[in-house]
Amino acid sequence: MKHAKTATQNACKLCNPLGACLAFRGIEQCVPFLHGSQGCATYIRRYLISHYKEPIDIASSNFNEETAVFGGSHNLKLGLKNVTQQYMPEVIGIATTCLSETIGDDVKGILREYRKQTAADSGAPVLIHASTPSYQGSHIDGFHAAVRATLEALAEKGAPDSSVNLFPNMVSPADLRHMQEILDDFRLPSMILPDYSKTLDGGPWAEYHRIPPGGTATAAIARSASAIGSIEFGSTLEASKSGAGWLESKFGVPRYHLPLPIGIRESDRFFELLETLCRKPRPEKYQDERRRLVDAYADGHKYIFGKTAVLYGEEDLVISMAAFLREIGVRPVLCASGGKSGLMKAKLGELVGDLEGEGMKVRDGVDFSDIEDETELLRPDLIIGNSKGYTMSRKSRIPLIRIGFPIHDRFGGQRLHHLGYRGTQELFDRIVNTVIEGRQNDSEIGYTYL
Ligand code: SF4
């Protein structure tokens, strides 16, 4: 008999400042900086490096017993000075850890003082502060807080232009490159924030760079207030917490809010919006991608129709993946997330319809022990989520299809596509092949043709 749980066991979410550090890594010449203890920076670096396979420097104000009691003002100022001297960054992105949030350090006040003290210094970096207590929310909240804080620090009203802002949510570097390619093919001047497609998935260097090249330029972020609109992905992302929401309320830049474009229906909505914004049809190459995807759905349908899946991860990813799975005839019997926006069930219902009628269970704020218990009962054909579900997959002998973040136990997680027709095609092929591989392995006949 199972005992009632008294604590989270293997959380299905990550630390709030981790998301902020990832977003700050997507700003050109920016150093992420944690106001808190060294161990937080080490954990976050370990996690990001293992997924992206790139070196990641994260500075820290290195709290000790004294700082924890009397406040971290001195350490923060000294740390900012050291980072400025050593890295000469344009921007320092400061995220507050659980400890500094708990003792209630007045980071905004400390930064005001520090700016006054260094006002005469040439090359003083822009300081951006995102409040990221990890006992509230998850990595995705830290990510969005950093994006919004960046805009608050840098966006300035200028002469109106014809550009578009894209706030893509926490997607892979491969997805970011694909989004940029689409915007370029539409000939839409654009700014993607954040853009870690090079800083976290770049090539080898002929010479050492203290800060990896790439990222959204500060000048482009400044111009975002003059854009014709902002496209923002993420079903549960509310305007009051989002970058695009802030641009709309402060500068009147219209916010176009969409789910992550996964699957044909949601990708269509994204492309239709782009067509409206630039008043021309999509380039032929995307018509072709869509046609190939429709053809693949028809070809692969017989292998996967009626299969069931347990799906977990960030709420926005789970919602869009669930809609895509229904589109291809797979039933997500459990949609689970460690996140707890309170909106997941309603937003899923908007995309999928009658959840109960579809036999879909939705659980937010859960850990992997809860997901494992549900998986044992539901016995799905597939598990779909990040690599933290591997233990569950191994125990239950149900195949795990790895998506999202983090992917620690496979190579190339940063190059997985999820978005648009191209990303959907990749996901669809992986799902069909996983089912075929299972059947082939279970077959008594070693067949070699389908
Ligand atoms: S203590 Fe808080 S900020 Fe530090 S690693 Fe843990 S969850 Fe993240």
Side-chain angles (χ1 to χ4, degrees):
M1 186 182 161
K2 285 204 184 299
H3 297 287
K5 272 186 12 173
T6 54
T8 297
Q9 294 169 15
N10 198 5
C12 182
K13 60 179 181 176
L14 305 168
C15 139
N16 205 319
L18 182 149
C21 288
L22 178 59
F24 287 138
R25 187 75 294 176
I27 298 166
E28 193 174 48
Q29 288 299 304
C30 175
V31 175
F33 186 114
L34 283 191
H35 184 43
S37 38
Q38 177 63 41
C40 302
T42 308
Y43 149 70
I44 291 172
R45 289 181 60 235
R46 173 75 188 84
Y47 243 74
L48 293 175
I49 290 169
S50 147
H51 178 90
Y52 293 103
K53 312 282 188 280
E54 295 286 5
I56 297 168
D57 287 7
I58 295 177
S60 158
S61 54
N62 200 12
F63 269 40
N64 54 27
E65 293 93 333
E66 197 185 309
T67 348
V69 175
F70 299 109
S73 169
H74 172 72
N75 280 34
L76 178 55
K77 290 178 186 169
L78 185 63
L80 292 173
K81 198 169 153 208
N82 287 341
V83 168
T84 305
Q85 282 168 356
Q86 287 180 29
Y87 289 84
M88 289 179 283
E90 270 182 50
V91 179
I92 301 178
I94 303 146
T96 33
T97 65
C98 298
L99 185 52
S100 58
E101 289 280 349
T102 303
I103 66 171
D105 254 353
D106 174 16
V107 175
K108 287 210 184 316
I110 299 169
L111 294 181
R112 239 190 334 268
E113 245 174 55
Y114 181 78
R115 282 192 196 100
K116 261 191 224 155
Q117 289 162 2
T118 55
D121 298 356
S122 63
V126 176
L127 305 176
I128 300 172
H129 167 226
S131 171
T132 50
S134 216
Y135 39 81
Q136 277 174 7
S138 72
H139 56 296
I140 206 70
D141 299 286
F143 183 92
H144 295 311
V147 170
R148 189 174 169 110
T150 301
L151 291 163
E152 287 175 8
L154 291 169
E156 291 168 6
K157 192 72 185 170
D161 63 27
S162 57
S163 67
V164 162
N165 306 315
L166 175 63
F167 300 102
N169 211 314
M170 195 175 140
V171 297
S172 75
D175 285 323
L176 291 173
R177 284 190 287 273
H178 184 44
M179 291 297 108
Q180 187 65 68
E181 180 188 346
I182 293 170
L183 293 165
D184 290 348
D185 286 340
F186 270 94
R187 302 204 186 292
L188 257 177
S190 58
M191 180 217 58
I192 298 183
L193 181 68
D195 180 3
Y196 40 83
S197 61
K198 281 201 189 105
T199 56
L200 289 177
D201 194 21
W205 304 332
E207 59 187 55
Y208 177 70
H209 300 272
R210 280 178 187 267
I211 304 175
T216 315
T218 51
I221 301 170
R223 285 196 302 274
S224 63
S226 311
I228 54 167
S230 302
I231 302 172
E232 190 163 62
F233 295 151
S235 304
T236 62
L237 179 54
E238 294 175 286
S240 60
K241 294 182 184 159
S242 85
W246 184 79
L247 283 178
E248 186 171 60
S249 64
K250 178 85 182 169
F251 297 109
V253 179
R255 173 185 189 238
Y256 302 98
H257 180 215
L258 299 178
L260 284 162
I262 302 174
I264 290 180
R265 195 177 61 172
E266 295 312 318
S267 298
D268 281 350
R269 280 175 69 181
F270 172 50
F271 275 92
E272 282 158 15
L273 174 59
L274 291 175
E275 287 171 338
T276 308
L277 289 173
C278 55
R279 298 199 193 102
K280 60 181 174 207
R282 68 193 74 178
E284 189 59 24
K285 96 183 205 198
Y286 297 106
Q287 299 281 18
D288 281 343
E289 282 190 1
R290 189 183 190 283
R291 284 186 204 110
R292 280 195 295 271
L293 183 55
V294 170
D295 190 48
Y297 275 18
D299 293 344
H301 191 246
K302 61 186 174 214
Y303 303 109
I304 55 171
F305 180 76
K307 298 289 177 204
T308 56
V310 158
L311 186 56
Y312 61 85
E314 290 119 23
E315 290 176 290
D316 291 337
L317 182 62
V318 167
I319 290 169
S320 287
M321 279 296 297
F324 157 60
L325 291 180
R326 288 313 292 130
E327 194 173 90
I328 61 174
V330 173
R331 189 158 52 90
V333 282
L334 174 68
C335 298
S337 177
K340 206 167 177 24
S341 67
L343 299 169
M344 188 162 143
K345 196 166 183 179
K347 295 291 170 187
L348 247 172
E350 281 173 22
L351 294 196
V352 176
D354 175 12
L355 302 172
E356 273 162 32
E358 293 272 338
M360 286 170 59
K361 199 168 182 180
V362 182
R363 290 196 59 190
D364 60 2
V366 291
D367 61 17
F368 275 99
S369 141
D370 298 317
I371 300 172
E372 200 173 314
D373 289 347
E374 295 275 13
T375 303
E376 252 176 57
L377 288 173
L378 294 163
R379 293 301 306 170
D381 298 296
L382 301 166
I383 298 173
I384 303 178
N386 57 54
S387 70
K388 283 171 67 89
Y390 172 65
T391 314
M392 171 171 75
S393 154
R394 185 180 162 94
K395 235 192 249 176
S396 62
R397 297 187 166 275
I398 298 169
L400 169 65
I401 298 174
R402 290 162 180 80
I403 58 164
F405 174 92
I407 297 181
H408 296 314
D409 64 341
R410 286 289 183 276
F411 188 69
Q414 70 277 49
R415 286 182 288 277
L416 292 179
H417 286 101
H418 307 76
L419 305 186
Y421 305 121
R422 193 178 301 172
T424 306
Q425 181 75 72
E426 206 175 288
L427 288 168
F428 183 74
D429 290 349
R430 290 172 65 210
I431 291 170
V432 174
N433 281 328
T434 304
V435 171
I436 290 175
E437 189 180 338
R439 278 170 56 176
Q440 199 173 27
N441 288 343
D442 292 345
S443 166
E444 286 177 8
I445 307 157
Y447 64 85
T448 52
Y449 287 97
L450 291 175

